[in-house]
Amino acid sequence: MKILVADDSKAMRMIVVRTLRQAGLGGHDIIEAEDGKQAYEIARAQNVDLVLSDWNMPEMTGIELLKALRSSGSEVPFCFVTSEGSDEMREQASQAGAMGLIAKPFTSDAFGDILAPVVA
Amino acid sequence: MSAIDEFEEAREDLEALLIEVLGSVFSEEAMPVWDDALPPGPIVSSRLAIHDEVDDSYTMVEVRTSAIVARVLASRMLLTADPGPDDLLDAVGELGNIAGGNVKSLLRHSCRLSLPLAEMTDDATPADVDGVTVRAAVLGQVVELTVHLAGDIEGLTWPGSASEEVVETPA
């Protein structure tokens, strides 16, 4: 399984990958992107199986990334990992086609609860 | 209610927010402190703005801590024994981003959050701003969170902007 992790912070990308492992969801190919635009290009070129994306990033936000992917016909499972976890943002994420939103700071349990159904 | 009164009313929530964020990112217990100042020496700070488009105001969220704490944080986040200056800025920038996102969820739901700007300075003197500062100790060192109205957002950048161009890229 190919998992794309998009976040403009290298430290946060590493924490996301580590937390996946701690949640028992490790052992997959991880591809990293530093912003939404790079994530879009990777997702389109490499047929990733899951996208874990920050919301606020340079070049292209996470919600713009999700909408761009859906507009291009991609139905890849998409989950936000972001510092903003308000009901309004969760609703916005859901309406755009995200499977969930994990708010920072997070626990490995949060990863397991939301991602286990799609991470084999 | 003025913005300052609003921040003051949220002081306990801001303290709890800072403690929760520090406890999570450091995997250490964080404790509230009230009178402790940042130690002399290099300071690493992260600031970001929350823009309210209704009244065109900017709420600034700043996190400041010593370079010692920044080094420990970067070391733990990046799993490296010898983090470089960019690693310190990345780690404290992300700490500020997490704090800023949570402050936005607490106080400014429908507003826009900037990207964090992290810097290292030699001056531990806090800026003279009209706002609320809460402090917590982690690993015996102080971390400050300040929320205030901002007149100057110079240097900050905003997320997004290239989506149209990318959407038009042929699949």
Side-chain angles (χ1 to χ4, degrees), chain A residues 9 11 40 44 59 84 104, chain B residues 90 94 104 160 162 165-166 171:
Chain A
S9 166
Y40 178 82
R44 298 293 293 146
E59 299 292 333
E84 302 175 58
K104 305 171 188 174
Chain B
D90 183 24
E94 187 55 29
K104 176 176 176 277
E165 177 191 337
V166 175

Side-chain angles (χ1 to χ4, degrees), chain B residues 56-109:
Chain B
D56 200 28
S57 66
Y58 292 91
T59 299
M60 192 71 80
V61 180
E62 297 188 56
V63 173
R64 303 167 78 236
T65 191
S66 69
I68 299 166
V69 172
R71 182 170 292 277
V72 173
L73 180 62
S75 180
R76 292 190 179 185
M77 288 176 113
L78 292 155
L79 296 181
T80 175
D82 188 22
D86 286 349
D87 295 332
L88 271 59
L89 296 179
D90 183 24
V92 174
E94 187 55 29
L95 177 62
N97 184 45
I98 296 172
N102 281 268
V103 169
K104 176 176 176 277
S105 296
L106 181 68
L107 297 172
R108 296 283 184 268
H109 301 275

Side-chain angles (χ1 to χ4, degrees), chain A residues 9-81:
Chain A
S9 166
K10 178 185 171 190
M12 185 47 64
R13 293 197 301 272
M14 289 186 70
I15 289 175
V16 167
V17 173
R18 211 152 62 226
T19 306
L20 274 172
R21 251 194 335 264
Q22 290 165 352
L25 306 174
H28 301 282
D29 292 338
I30 303 292
I31 309 165
E32 297 186 20
E34 296 178 6
D35 60 53
K37 188 175 177 183
Q38 191 181 81
Y40 178 82
E41 288 162 359
I42 292 171
R44 298 293 293 146
Q46 300 203 28
N47 284 326
V48 299
D49 301 298
L50 171 66
V51 179
L52 301 178
S53 176
D54 190 12
W55 193 294
N56 285 330
M57 296 182 287
E59 299 292 333
M60 184 183 218
T61 65
I63 194 75
E64 289 169 343
L65 167 62
L66 172 56
K67 288 176 178 175
L69 286 170
R70 294 295 182 257
S71 293
S72 72
S74 169
E75 292 299 324
V76 61
F78 192 108
C79 182
F80 286 101
V81 182

